Amino acid sequence: MIGEESGETQVTLTIDDRQVTVPNGTLILKAAEQLGIEIPVFCYHDKLKSIGACRMCIVDVEGLPKPVPSCATEVKEGMVVRTRTPEVAKMWEGVLEFLLVNHPLDCPVCDRGGECPLQDNTFKYGPRDSRFTGEKRHFAKPVPLSALVLLDRERCIMCTRCVRFCQEISGDEQLKIWDRGHGEYIDTFPGQTFDSNFSGNTIELCPVGALLSSVFRFRARPWEMKGAASICPHCGVGCNIRVDARNNREVVRFLSRENAEVDDGWLCDRGRFDSDFPNSGARLTKPLARKNGELTPVEWDEALDLVAEGLRRAAEAGPDQVGGLGSPWRTNEENYLLQKLFRTALGSNSLDFTFDGRGGGSDAIAEAFREGFFDGSISDTTTANVIFVLGSDISIDLPVVDLWLKKAVGRGAKLIYAYPTAVELAQHSQLFLPYAPGSEVELIEGLAASISAEEAAAHTGVPAELIAKAPQALMDARQTLVFVSGRLLEDEIGHRLLDALRRLRRAAASGEGQEMLVCAVFPDTNTQGAMDMGLLPGRYPGYRRIGDELAMQTIERTWLTQPASAPPMSGEQMLAAAAEGRMQAMYIMGLDPVSRPVGGEEIAEALSKVGFLVVADTFLTKTAELAHVVLPSCTFAEKDGTLTNTERRVQRIRPAMRIAGECRPDWVILSEIARRLGMEWSYGKAEDVFEEIARVTPQYAWLDYESIGEKGLQWRTG
Amino acid sequence: MIRELIKGLGVTIKHVFRPRVTVQYPEVKREMPPRARWRHVLLRHEDGLERCIGCSLCAANCPARCIYVEAAENREGARYSPGERYAKIYEINMIRCIFCGYCQDACPVEAIILRPIYDISDDDREDFIYGKDRLIVPYPGG
Ligand code: SF4
Ligand code: SF4
Ligand code: SF4
Ligand code: SF4
Ligand code: FES
């Protein structure tokens, strides 16, 4: 904010006969807020620049001839402000009466009705009646700005929050004010649609029901909804959302639930508008078992007995013939129980959450997590002097981080963007390095100046003069923040890439007070958590090596059985074994590898050779269609749990609506299977599982549901 | 003793010749006072479009929580009400209703009113959930 720079000098002023001391440069509006004095606003928003357009917030200041907008006037020493005089009340009434001149009486049919600042302010400060008898403005209702965002111009009060969002926050500049005076209106440029990745935020910013979501429109009135504090299930950022469900029956919308360290109060459109899937009529609602070749609905008991029996038999044939696949879209609790089931009841260490090849990198990355190599956070973008992105199209991989990066650039941070093609964010960077894929290591060597710019250029195809610019920027930076693609780290070059990054860190953090922070980019929701929970070949929870005596002892103390020490198979190896008919049983939870655009058919063929295939999922996916038993799981909107985002922040999801059909959360399903396999698990709720996670996972040792709370906490090593 | 018997019988005989207070329901139905409030109807505009705009304000105001509304958008070729929005589903559970008329008070477009229609009987509880089919007045002219 404006006040921060000159924060040392304090100013004392009087508002409504009460004194308050605030930093110099504070707005009257914010000073009043500190005293708990409410001043109505429309155009002002904490995240946008003040423009003083709507005049709703005018107040009296002693000694000034005219009232001033409190959202655009800074405090002064000894200022005397009045907000509750008859004159101010009359002015507020007047402003509202003018705003309502052209505002239709749409409240009963308006999505905002019931949670509308214009309604609320009119109710509190407005006139009882309108003296306007003429014809109101008319526009077509509503105009689609895009497939997702609709605009009802009759309701618009021209606060321009939406326009300013597009200028100041998303930088897309897609909305604009057209015309002047009484005829002005909001629109996109002629012939263009409002296709910004962040368009949905304007709906939430709009102080009236002018901007509307086509997904939510007419779905519910505010009093019919109850919101659950949850996490967006669509990517690794883990933006905080409120999941609103109507009458506890259907999820109708996601709203932002600002977390100043994760999402800064914004959501991307993928996250915001993909809210309907828990309500789908196509959901699996009953267990299915293959009878005479057909998947047939059965009762839970029968299905679970079949699963337990099938897994037990297969495990007896040999622990190298059973394997489990968890999911980056399931909670930590569920991924944890999956590996526990395999490592106790079935004696197998063959666990993963993907069939993709892991190259050589996964072990290096696990080791790096264990030693705490990754220490960067999304919110470090607010302090870093240089931000270096390697190999990730952030706008797609972690959409909301795109906004953080633009904000950082706006504040003067240097953005160095290394990506094979000129993605959108590259245009905002000071230095764009389009390297040849596969030459990442040489690129970093070049940046660290451990090889010459010319040599790096020869490998990467990036002009030497561009590479040569980087080392100085890194040397000069007090704080450097690196976002490196997790996919690259897992690749063949993973080991060397990590080593190169270590060298870069030594170079960029060589001076006094210098540091370089690194954050891995995992686009999927809970990839980080799945790895943390030990769904990596060769690693127990917390990245401890299989066979590590100390790890096995601590785990045994909690599990009361020794964890399996059988040689592990990765997803890729399991798939190869399946293709050769060597997998007796597989349990796949919340993953649909068969539907992948490439390689799906080979996977299907391999899976059809698995002796006994169990799939637990929310829909009858192509993978589930191959299974012998299909178990219906709950979506994220029907259960408790935690997810760990790409910056290692553990956050909670909470149930928003009643469970669909006979579905069960995966942690319940896994507990039931374990019980049938003779395990004595007694988890009454997801929180019980998390307590156990904290006991066996060193990074999570200091976490519990209470401390995670509403805002989440990052795990840490040691 | 005899005197009392005769006196009692006298009362009976007197009432035999008085006008009857009961009627032969359901063959005969009694006229209700004009402002009697029984079962609701959903009204139409003169042009036949439904008045209800699916705003759920009646449901919000109902102390018995017996109204369920689901709204949808009027579209080209499928217009039910004049504005953008209409009630796709409108249900009242007549067993729960206490006929207080608060729904009528809340309605911003005078779509729902309580009418002197008192014969609300059925033999299945489910059948007391009145949908639009039974609540809405007939389209003018059939
Ligand atoms: S559409 Fe909404 S946010 Fe945009 S100017 Fe109009 S009232 Fe303000
Ligand atoms: S950035 Fe990711 S977590 Fe945030 S709203 Fe978009 S999809 Fe969801
Ligand atoms: S009459 Fe009263 S109880 Fe009955 S539906 Fe209306 S508001 Fe509810
Ligand atoms: S009957 Fe009236 S109050 Fe009820 S939904 Fe329809 S328009 Fe709204
Ligand atoms: S809120 Fe201050 S002028 Fe609009």
Side-chain angles (χ1 to χ4, degrees), chain A residues 111-392:
Chain A
D111 282 347
R112 265 286 197 185
E115 52 178 24
C116 171
L118 182 59
Q119 267 188 334
D120 295 346
N121 286 340
T122 304
F123 194 72
K124 280 192 217 157
Y125 309 113
R128 288 180 54 91
D129 301 297
S130 168
R131 288 171 286 175
F132 182 72
T133 48
E135 187 65 15
K136 295 188 184 235
R137 265 189 326 181
H138 287 295
F139 286 110
K141 284 169 89 82
V143 189
L145 296 180
S146 70
L148 298 168
V149 183
L150 313 172
L151 171 62
D152 187 318
R153 295 203 175 106
E154 294 184 350
R155 295 178 194 157
C156 171
I157 58 168
M158 295 308 295
C159 71
T160 72
R161 279 186 186 182
C162 53
V163 176
R164 283 176 288 148
F165 173 84
C166 294
Q167 279 169 357
E168 296 168 22
I169 309 289
S170 73
D172 299 316
E173 311 246 4
Q174 287 190 321
L175 294 185
K176 199 177 145 0
I177 309 168
W178 297 89
D179 251 331
R180 283 291 170 268
H182 150 275
E184 62 178 357
Y185 62 95
I186 305 290
D187 204 348
T188 52
F189 284 91
Q192 296 195 352
T193 57
F194 188 23
D195 56 4
S196 156
N197 271 344
F198 304 98
S199 66
N201 294 302
T202 58
I203 299 173
E204 229 174 297
L205 282 176
C206 181
V208 294
L211 287 166
L212 303 160
S213 149
S214 66
V215 175
F216 173 67
R217 199 159 88 100
F218 296 165
R219 289 281 290 282
R221 312 301 324 258
W223 57 85
E224 298 169 333
M225 294 184 280
K226 234 179 104 192
S230 193
I231 302 301
C232 171
H234 296 306
C235 92
V237 178
C239 295
N240 291 201
I241 57 170
R242 193 179 97 195
V243 181
D244 276 349
R246 182 179 200 235
N247 298 329
N248 199 22
R249 276 193 240 193
E250 51 166 350
V251 171
V252 288
R253 66 174 174 185
F254 295 166
L255 290 181
S256 165
R257 183 168 65 84
E258 180 175 352
N259 185 329
E261 310 220 299
V262 178
D263 50 46
D264 203 16
W266 312 120
L267 300 181
C268 76
D269 285 359
R270 183 205 311 168
R272 179 185 302 271
F273 293 112
D274 194 354
S275 58
D276 229 9
F277 64 96
N279 316 325
S280 166
R283 285 270 305 272
L284 278 171
T285 51
K286 214 173 158 43
L288 308 171
R290 199 165 289 280
K291 289 185 177 167
N292 305 323
E294 290 285 316
L295 283 174
T296 330
V298 293
E299 294 307 317
W300 267 107
D301 274 334
E302 186 182 343
L304 290 167
D305 287 343
L306 281 171
V307 172
E309 182 57 23
L311 291 177
R312 194 182 52 76
R313 269 215 222 125
E316 273 164 12
D320 56 336
Q321 311 207 358
V322 290
L325 233 55
S327 164
W329 294 281
R330 289 294 174 267
T331 62
N332 291 330
E333 288 75 359
E334 292 164 338
N335 282 325
Y336 171 81
L337 287 189
L338 180 74
Q339 60 88 33
K340 185 178 176 189
L341 180 77
F342 273 80
R343 291 190 164 131
T344 55
L346 304 171
S348 165
N349 271 316
S350 298
L351 291 154
D352 209 331
F353 57 92
T354 169
F355 278 138
D356 283 345
R358 292 195 161 276
S362 76
D363 205 57
I365 206 175
E367 214 40 42
F369 276 118
R370 202 185 53 75
E371 73 187 36
F373 175 78
F374 295 98
D375 49 3
S377 309
I378 293 171
S379 62
D380 290 332
T381 53
T382 58
T383 51
N385 312 94
V386 171
I387 301 173
F388 171 43
V389 180
L390 175 63
S392 161

Side-chain angles (χ1 to χ4, degrees), chain A residues 41-44 52-57 69 71:
Chain A
V41 300
F42 286 119
C43 67
Y44 176 81
C54 73
R55 278 3 214 189
M56 185 67 247
C57 64
C71 75

